[in-house]
Amino acid sequence: MVEGVVGLARPHSHHTVQVITGAAGIEIGDGQGGRVECMAAVIPPDTVHEVVRGAAAGRIVHFDPESVAGARLLAMISRADGVGGWVRAGGELCSDAEWFAGVERSATELAGRDRHPAVTTVLTLLPGRLEAGPVRLGELAREAGISEGRLAHVFSADMGLPFRPYVRWLRMRLAIRFLAEGHSLTAAAHGAGFADSAHLTRVCRGMFGGPPSEFGWIAWDVSRGWT
């Protein structure tokens, strides 16, 4: 969670459900050219969006789409809604003073959604593999007792994202944690499995619309992870 200035962000997407608010209003755009001024918006995961006009005071919270909080938010929106639907959902949140308190309590709980057993196995294995070097789908498939092609299919179906982009997202999360803990950009990049700091910066621009230097990673809560 980041509280403070809500800056401009070029078109980007990330594998989280994002809630963004601005005390004096903000302007959000979608990938189809739509733009809406609003007080708050709920943005679906893996969906191109931008912050056209920021705010001097606001709040940005990212939720894992597989968490209870993420599932609650996803029930309010659709990727097909466009920015108008995102803003309507944001308005619902603003009208519920207790929403943020309740949703943050459940932010790290799993949604309990049924998954293919092989996907569950892979999700358990992945965190320990990110710092060890390349993560290979074939090796994980063998450990999960399934063919590589079948794993690629069920993983995309269950997670809503192909395997490679999902691993890139996990590496970005790990790099953010390192940055919040005070590591240099180069150390965070290498620790999370990126080739170098330039590689990390390119991925960050694609996911968040700007380089790592533009974001308040110190707001990362090490005890709870990415909320």
Side-chain angles (χ1 to χ4, degrees):
M1 177 178 67
V2 176
E3 292 184 295
V5 175
V6 176
L8 304 182
R10 292 172 287 278
H12 62 284
S13 66
H14 36 68
H15 190 60
T16 55
V17 189
Q18 182 182 28
V19 177
I20 180 170
T21 69
I26 52 178
E27 186 175 355
I28 302 295
D30 60 25
Q32 289 73 50
R35 293 183 175 184
V36 176
E37 294 185 1
C38 60
M39 300 299 294
V42 180
I43 300 170
D46 310 309
T47 304
V48 174
H49 60 284
E50 61 181 320
V51 181
V52 181
R53 179 171 62 82
R59 193 178 199 184
I60 299 174
V61 193
H62 290 267
F63 297 95
D64 188 326
E66 277 68 58
S67 70
V68 171
R72 288 175 60 188
L73 289 165
L74 286 173
M76 301 172 66
I77 53 176
S78 165
R79 287 182 175 86
D81 280 345
V83 67
W86 308 345
V87 168
R88 284 192 296 274
E92 291 181 39
L93 296 189
C94 286
S95 67
D96 182 358
E98 297 298 318
W99 190 89
F100 271 113
V103 83
E104 287 177 6
R105 285 195 296 269
S106 64
T108 57
E109 298 174 22
L110 295 178
R113 190 180 63 181
D114 289 338
R115 291 198 189 98
H116 191 286
V119 174
T120 299
T121 297
V122 169
L123 292 177
T124 302
L125 294 171
L126 274 174
R129 305 294 173 89
L130 298 176
E131 298 179 59
V135 177
R136 296 183 172 85
L137 182 62
E139 293 177 0
L140 291 169
R142 285 192 293 275
E143 293 183 59
I146 190 173
S147 72
E148 182 174 347
R150 178 62 177 161
L151 177 58
H153 174 76
V154 297
F155 191 95
S156 293
D158 282 3
M159 302 304 295
L161 192 69
F163 179 76
R164 281 296 161 201
Y166 187 81
V167 170
R168 188 161 55 246
W169 166 246
L170 291 184
R171 291 197 185 283
M172 188 71 237
R173 285 182 51 166
L174 183 57
I176 289 168
R177 194 192 81 196
F178 288 144
L179 289 169
E181 291 173 349
H183 295 276
S184 69
L185 184 63
T186 298
H190 290 159
F194 292 98
D196 50 32
S197 60
H199 184 201
L200 171 57
T201 296
R202 287 195 301 274
V203 173
C204 187
R205 286 184 183 277
M207 288 187 180
F208 296 104
S213 59
E214 291 184 4
F215 302 97
W217 302 128
I218 197 63
W220 172 281
D221 184 335
V222 176
S223 66
R224 293 172 57 196
W226 184 275
T227 59

